[in-house]
Amino acid sequence: MYLIDVSYFIKNLHVPNTEEPTSDAYNELEVSIDRYVRQFLQLTLGRELFFELDSHVIDGELNSSAPQIWLNLVNGCNYTNNGINYTWKGLMYQEGLFKGSILAYYVYCNHFQNTANSILGQVAIDPKNGVVINPTSHLVNIWNEFIEMYQGSCSSSTKTTFYNGVIFEDYFQNKTNGYVSYLQFLRDNKTDYPNFEANVINFVNSFGI
């Protein structure tokens, strides 16, 4: 595992046949976690910031003595920006019995990218036989939920800015509820996370476009 484990893949992120730790599906999901969590952090933080974070991850878990900026990023925090209080839930969080993570959404989409039809196993039962359902719609919904956690919901009006020479479309004008997306947290705290990769990702529709 790397920061998250199989226990985060519940509800709409459930991966079939991972109930037994000895199953092939369980082992394959663990491999995907190790691969894609690192990939996500490398792509969004950039090389230097990822190396710094990774140096504080021991046996897949963030060391409790890591610098506060990494504890904030991974576990979430409250912060103030321009006199307004905001909350970043963290790369992983738990609310009661529910465990959530933007990382799990990213891993899930990549895990099934090339094997959705054969592995996802969404089946509708009718009286005579089982009919396999095209999982595209489900994966699109998961991807769009990931995008909302990553950069916030799209607004009808956006503001184009530049950050380190990168064109940046401001989709984060929905902060009125006090909770921020991953990119907004990094952007609001850019002195702690300099030179992060501010890349905006597109939503997709039910046809995967």
Side-chain angles (χ1 to χ4, degrees), residues 94-206:
Q94 185 162 354
E95 297 175 335
L97 298 178
F98 176 76
K99 300 176 76 171
S101 173
I102 184 177
L103 302 174
Y105 278 76
Y106 184 81
V107 169
Y108 185 92
C109 291
N110 283 279
H111 183 70
F112 288 121
Q113 183 177 18
N114 298 316
T115 56
N117 289 323
S118 61
I119 297 178
L120 188 57
Q122 291 189 324
V123 176
I125 303 299
D126 66 25
K128 296 182 180 179
N129 49 47
V131 178
V132 176
I133 299 175
N134 188 328
T136 299
S137 177
H138 175 70
L139 290 176
V140 166
N141 289 337
I142 296 298
W143 180 253
N144 286 339
E145 288 184 48
F146 158 72
I147 293 298
E148 289 195 17
M149 290 184 282
Y150 175 74
Q151 66 194 33
S153 301
C154 283
S155 170
S156 58
S157 61
T158 62
K159 178 182 178 182
T160 301
T161 57
F162 287 85
Y163 183 72
N164 288 340
V166 177
I167 296 177
F168 192 82
E169 297 290 343
D170 188 356
Y171 287 97
F172 313 108
Q173 301 177 47
N174 62 334
K175 295 194 298 181
T176 54
N177 63 3
Y179 292 93
V180 297
S181 67
Y182 174 71
L183 284 190
Q184 188 62 53
F185 170 71
L186 292 176
R187 194 183 187 200
D188 286 346
N189 297 277
K190 57 187 176 183
T191 56
D192 290 333
Y193 312 99
N195 302 317
F196 73 91
E197 300 294 330
N199 296 314
V200 171
I201 302 176
N202 291 328
F203 285 76
V204 292
N205 60 30
S206 59

